Amino acid sequence: KNSQPRLMVTANSLQGNILEAGSSTVWSIALQNCSRHNSVENVKITLLSESKDIVFEKNAWYFEKTAPKATMDLSQSLTVAKKAPAEPVQMQFQIEYEDGKGTNYTSTEEIRLLICQPQQARLANLSFPAQVYASDTEFLSFQVQNTGLSAIYNVTVRLEGKGLFPQQEVFLGNIDGGASADGEQKVFVGTLDLVAEGNVLENGGEKYGDTSGIVTLSYEDEQGRVTEQRVEICTSV
């Protein structure tokens, strides 16, 4: 008896990849006639997507005849809308075809694509005194603005600088898209020859004068990927 020839997606360049909202990408995808002996004929393929946010160049294909083990190329460009929500999107290739004897078959191949929103955040309203005095405690104040559409996670801000000894990094938690959070960090002012509170540099150099610090904003996306942004502040001890 003749068995039904199977058509399956065997190449998918977006498998396991994340599509960023607002981007266009080339999608290499192919369907294979998995039969070892039988051709398939009159193959019609329709792509159906549950998302209105992905625009495809093509969503229908026709192949007159496909030999055993041969593939059908369904590659194309796709574009994801800027405001597409970060979520998985299901899509289907609905396939109609015939074997050499004219028997009709239908099958469906399911594909899942993952959309993410680009993370966009910035440090704003940075404030630290232009002049500070050794052994005083000062405050670095700032605002973290999430200018993207999706939440950012595990937001932290830290300061590093010669003669400046912050108590600890500031943890702001999660910030929703479009929202902002204010923070401040307690900073002990040492002298410029201190490497840590109480420890002086060998052949110390100047104790007082101009110094700078680097304020680092760090946050994660849904997948735990970390983004860092650095801003310099200047002061005089």
Side-chain angles (χ1 to χ4, degrees):
K1 99 182 185 24
N2 269 359
S3 56
Q4 173 184 347
R6 296 267 172 214
L7 302 188
M8 292 178 71
V9 170
T10 51
N12 173 8
S13 65
L14 295 180
Q15 184 81 40
N17 287 354
I18 293 168
L19 290 171
E20 201 167 88
S23 71
S24 293
T25 190
V26 174
W27 187 19
S28 302
I29 185 157
L31 200 65
Q32 184 177 32
N33 174 6
C34 296
S35 172
R36 234 180 272 171
H37 308 294
N38 300 321
S39 297
V40 289
E41 297 176 15
N42 212 13
V43 183
K44 184 188 172 204
I45 302 160
T46 309
L47 172 59
L48 300 177
S49 165
E50 63 179 28
S51 170
K52 302 277 181 286
D53 291 313
I54 302 181
V55 178
F56 298 95
E57 268 185 334
K58 291 183 77 173
N59 50 20
W61 295 261
Y62 177 77
F63 299 90
E64 198 172 337
K65 188 169 185 172
T66 304
K69 290 293 177 190
T71 57
M72 291 161 275
D73 186 15
L74 312 180
S75 298
Q76 58 169 315
S77 287
L78 57 85
T79 302
V80 186
K82 263 194 177 141
K83 294 197 172 176
E87 62 184 10
V89 174
Q90 292 291 128
M91 49 197 61
Q92 287 184 344
F93 288 102
Q94 291 189 343
I95 310 156
E96 302 167 46
Y97 58 104
E98 298 169 6
D99 63 16
K101 295 181 172 169
T103 309
N104 290 316
Y105 299 101
T106 60
S107 67
T108 302
E109 283 287 278
E110 301 248 342
I111 298 281
R112 199 173 87 131
L113 299 180
L114 194 60
I115 296 176
C116 79
Q117 270 289 335
Q119 306 290 10
Q120 294 167 322
R122 64 192 189 106
L123 266 172
N125 305 337
L126 264 181
S127 169
F128 192 72
Q131 199 167 25
V132 291
Y133 293 92
S135 77
D136 277 3
T137 298
E138 295 289 354
F139 287 92
L140 168 74
S141 64
F142 53 84
Q143 185 178 62
V144 176
Q145 298 173 345
N146 181 355
T147 53
L149 293 174
S150 60
I152 55 177
Y153 302 91
N154 293 330
V155 181
T156 59
V157 175
R158 64 179 186 273
L159 167 68
E160 294 157 286
K162 204 172 171 184
L164 304 173
F165 300 94
Q167 275 196 330
Q168 65 210 55
E169 67 176 20
V170 179
F171 180 72
L172 294 171
N174 305 337
I175 304 175
D176 289 335
S180 58
D182 296 316
E184 65 176 17
Q185 185 168 40
K186 234 181 197 177
V187 181
F188 173 77
V189 181
T191 51
L192 301 185
D193 59 352
L194 278 184
V195 269
E197 284 187 59
N199 293 346
V200 178
L201 277 168
E202 299 283 321
N203 63 32
E206 295 294 320
K207 278 175 173 286
Y208 307 107
D210 293 340
T211 187
S212 65
I214 298 293
V215 184
T216 304
L217 163 65
S218 170
Y219 57 88
E220 296 175 11
D221 65 9
E222 290 97 343
Q223 280 74 41
R225 293 178 300 188
V226 177
T227 300
E228 287 197 339
Q229 194 184 104
R230 293 174 181 80
V231 178
E232 188 178 41
I233 58 163
C234 297
T235 187
S236 181
V237 177

